[in-house]
Every structure is written in C-alpha cells, then in structure tokens.
Amino acid sequence: MAYILNMFKRNSLLIALVLVMIFFEVLIQSTDKGSLFSPQNFTNIIYQNSYVIILAVGMLFLIIGCGNIDLSVGSIVALIGAVAGVLMVNNEYNIYMSMAICILLGIIIGAWHGFWIAYIRIPSFIVTLAGMLLFRGLALIVLDGITINPFPYEYLQLFTSFIPANRADAYATTVAITMVIVAIYVVGVLFSRVSKIKKGYEVEPLSGFLFKHVIVLAALIASSLLLAQNKGIPVILVLIAAVVIIYAFIANKTVVGRRIYALGGNEKAAKLSGVNTNRLLFLSYVNMGLLAAVAALVCVARFNSASPMAGTGYELDAIGSCFIGGASAYGGVGTVGGAVIGAIFMGVLNNGMSILGVDANWQKAVKGLVLLVAVVVDVMSKKRVTN
C-alpha cells in the first residue's frame, strides 16, 4: 500500500492531467458541444500549445539553474516574428536565410540578457522586464504598428503540413510510424532496466514499472489513432518531440545538465566545485533566446502573419507550465517531462474552457489559481522537508 501511495504521489501531475481531461470531456459531452478528444480538436491542441512547450523547455533551464525567469520571451517572439515578416514578405528573401537570421537574432538577444544577469549581476526580473518593454517597442517600430501577411507557401509548409502529405495515406502511415516508435520505446525501457539490474542499481518494483509504461504506451497509441483519423502526424509535433528529446538528454545525461542542477541547488557550492557559474547562467539565457526564436517562427507560420502584438502573455504560459510541471521556485528541481505535462495541462484548460464558452477573463482567473496552487504545494512541501 505504501508503494502504491508513493507511486501515485510521484505521478500526481499526470493523474491530475488525466482527471482534468476526463472532467472537460464529460462537461463538453453533457452540453452537446462536441468532444475534447475529437481528431480535429486533438490536432488543434497540438498546434495551440506548440509554442508553449518550446518556451517552457527553455524557461525550465532558467528556473532549474537558480530560480530565474525571463519575462521578455513574449516580446522576443513578437520582434523576431516582425523581422521574419519583413524579410520573407516585404523583401521576399530566401526563407532559409531569413530563418537563420531570426535564429541568430534570438541568440544575440539571449546573450544580451545573459551578459547583464550573469556577469554584471543585475537581477533577472529587472533585466527581462526591461527587455519585455524594449523588444515590444522594437516590434512595433519594425512593423510600423501594422500586421504583415501572408507568408510564403513554402515557409508555411515547413510548420503546418502533415506526415504523410497525402491525406488518403494518413491512417496507414501514422499507424506504421506509431508501431515503430512503440517498439523502440519498449526495447529502450527494457534495456535500461536490465542494464541497471546487472550493475546492481536499485530499480522500481516490476508492478510499478509495468503500470507506468503501460499507461505511457496506451496514451501514445490513443494519440496516434486520433491523429490518424484526421490528417496524420503534424510536422510541428516532430519538431516538438525533437526539442523535448534533445533537452531531456542534455538535462539528464550530460555534464552541462548536471551542472545546471548543481547551480540551482547551491550556487556557492557549485562554484567552489569548479563550475563556471557565470558562464552557465549566461548560456542558459542564450538558450532561452534561441528557443524563443524557434517559437516565433512556429507562431508566424501558424497564424500566417506577423503582428506587433503577437506573443502577449506567452511568458506567463511558459512560466506557469514549468511550475505546474513540478519545477521549484527555489531552483535545482524540475524535469523537461514535467514542463511538457504542465504545458499540456495549461493547453487542456485553455481548450476545454474555450469549447465550453467560458469568458476569457474567467479563463485567466482559473489559470492564475492553478498556478498559485502549484507553487503553494511546492513551498509547503519544502517546509515539511525542512521541519
């Protein structure tokens, strides 16, 4: 019984997500407003939350590193989207060259923040608040206060197309790809467990191991079937998966990842251990700028326009996703998977309330309360450990 309770505690966020999804599905079905799990709406949820997941992954590394945040990411999205619009639409530059310029601009902006925060030691709140105002103003200047559209068809296809391109083959292709992914996943987790047992490491009981991975596989298969019934696998989902896998690997399997956790756990101890904390903090903000640029390119493709007001509130969604996903406000605690689940949680809240016709103001109030509860739980758990 103790193990079962502990297992539920470790997976409390995932369980909460499932319960929220069931709750909204029951409400939507009872009011005869469709279904949260309709193939088309499921694809919409992926598109609507693509930028949140990308930004949340970058924000997570800042929060883990030392409890810092970046308030300017929404404005960075607007500025880089504006630059992309001027380059691709107004000047008809090559889309790949334009994307490279946008990515480089995001890195430069991240370096700008990182310099003031890591080396001059100005509080991150002040620097990124200034950046939020500065870059929003620059976006308005670049676009002259107007919206630019439409973007080139070739560019839109990079982010809004599906695999396969032919809808008639969507079901068979999606199922085939899913079978390959399931096989790779099963082999990977089994190999990891056997390897740990051979090395004498402690592993979780077989019942818990099977329960967790059966749930993951069931969710994966169910999601793929929904996508197969629509148009197939969105290309943006492939990009999101790549970002999540790469950064999860960095966080868990590399020296840089371990040092970021050490920095968040105790910066002085990390510095005395030989970690260049200033450089690590600087690179964390450079990385945030890079991912903000990627999110900007995704956003302008989704909306097929560059607007000076794009990205409004994106920083709050990203920060909220991290804290809801289990990241600690004190730094040193958090996972990429948790941030992704937190982003999906926020997305389901947004989508479910929108389908039900909940007023936008009430939606903000609900998201605010959810974020507060997540942080309160984190703070209270820390106090229990201290006491």
Side-chain angles (χ1 to χ4, degrees), residues 56-305:
V57 170
M59 195 72 70
L60 177 73
F61 278 71
L62 298 181
I63 294 172
I64 290 174
C66 51
N68 283 356
I69 56 175
D70 189 342
L71 295 174
S72 68
V73 291
S75 297
I76 296 172
V77 167
L79 175 58
I80 293 177
V83 172
V86 169
L87 293 175
M88 295 186 209
V89 180
N90 290 0
N91 296 317
E92 299 183 352
Y93 281 15
N94 177 274
I95 61 172
Y96 298 104
M97 183 180 71
S98 300
M99 290 169 63
I101 292 172
C102 290
I103 295 293
L104 179 60
L105 177 59
I107 292 173
I108 292 171
I109 291 173
W112 167 264
H113 284 158
F115 170 76
W116 295 111
I117 295 168
Y119 294 106
I120 308 301
R121 288 292 168 170
I122 299 176
S124 62
F125 181 87
I126 301 300
V127 174
T128 57
L129 178 61
M132 180 175 70
L133 301 174
L134 171 63
F135 301 130
R136 180 67 65 181
L138 289 177
L140 286 162
I141 292 170
V142 170
L143 292 175
D144 197 23
I146 62 174
T147 298
I148 295 178
N149 62 70
F151 275 73
Y153 175 77
E154 294 79 7
Y155 174 74
L156 298 179
Q157 287 296 102
L158 293 176
F159 296 101
T160 61
S161 58
F162 291 82
I163 301 172
N166 185 3
R167 186 169 183 175
D169 300 327
Y171 193 90
T173 304
T174 304
V175 170
I177 293 174
T178 303
M179 290 174 64
V180 173
I181 294 173
V182 167
I184 293 173
Y185 180 86
V186 170
V187 171
V189 296
L190 289 177
F191 177 81
S192 176
R193 182 178 176 85
V194 170
S195 178
K196 288 179 180 179
I197 292 174
K198 285 184 177 180
K199 293 177 181 178
Y201 296 160
E202 184 179 354
V203 295
E204 63 182 321
L206 183 61
S207 58
F209 172 82
L210 292 175
F211 175 80
K212 180 174 68 176
H213 293 295
V214 165
I215 294 296
V216 171
L217 289 174
L220 176 62
I221 294 171
S223 300
S224 68
L225 290 175
L226 288 174
L227 293 174
Q229 293 174 51
N230 190 33
K231 297 179 182 178
I233 301 173
V235 171
I236 190 62
L237 182 59
V238 178
L239 173 62
I240 294 171
V243 169
V244 170
I245 291 170
I246 290 170
Y247 280 90
F249 178 81
I250 292 172
N252 299 323
K253 303 294 184 180
T254 66
V255 174
V256 172
R258 295 295 92 196
R259 287 179 174 177
I260 289 174
Y261 278 101
L263 173 64
N266 190 319
E267 182 176 358
K268 289 183 179 179
K271 196 168 187 176
L272 291 172
S273 300
V275 176
N276 189 334
T277 55
N278 289 347
R279 184 176 64 184
L280 202 58
L281 186 56
F282 173 80
L283 291 176
S284 296
Y285 275 94
V286 171
N287 176 66
M288 185 72 256
L290 167 67
L291 290 178
V294 174
L297 294 173
V298 170
C299 284
V300 294
R302 177 174 175 246
F303 296 116
N304 193 18
S305 65

Side-chain angles (χ1 to χ4, degrees), residues 24 28 36 41 45 347-358:
F24 276 116
I28 293 169
L36 184 71
N41 189 60
I45 291 176
V348 170
L349 280 179
N350 287 331
N351 187 263
M353 288 189 290
S354 296
I355 294 174
L356 291 171
V358 177

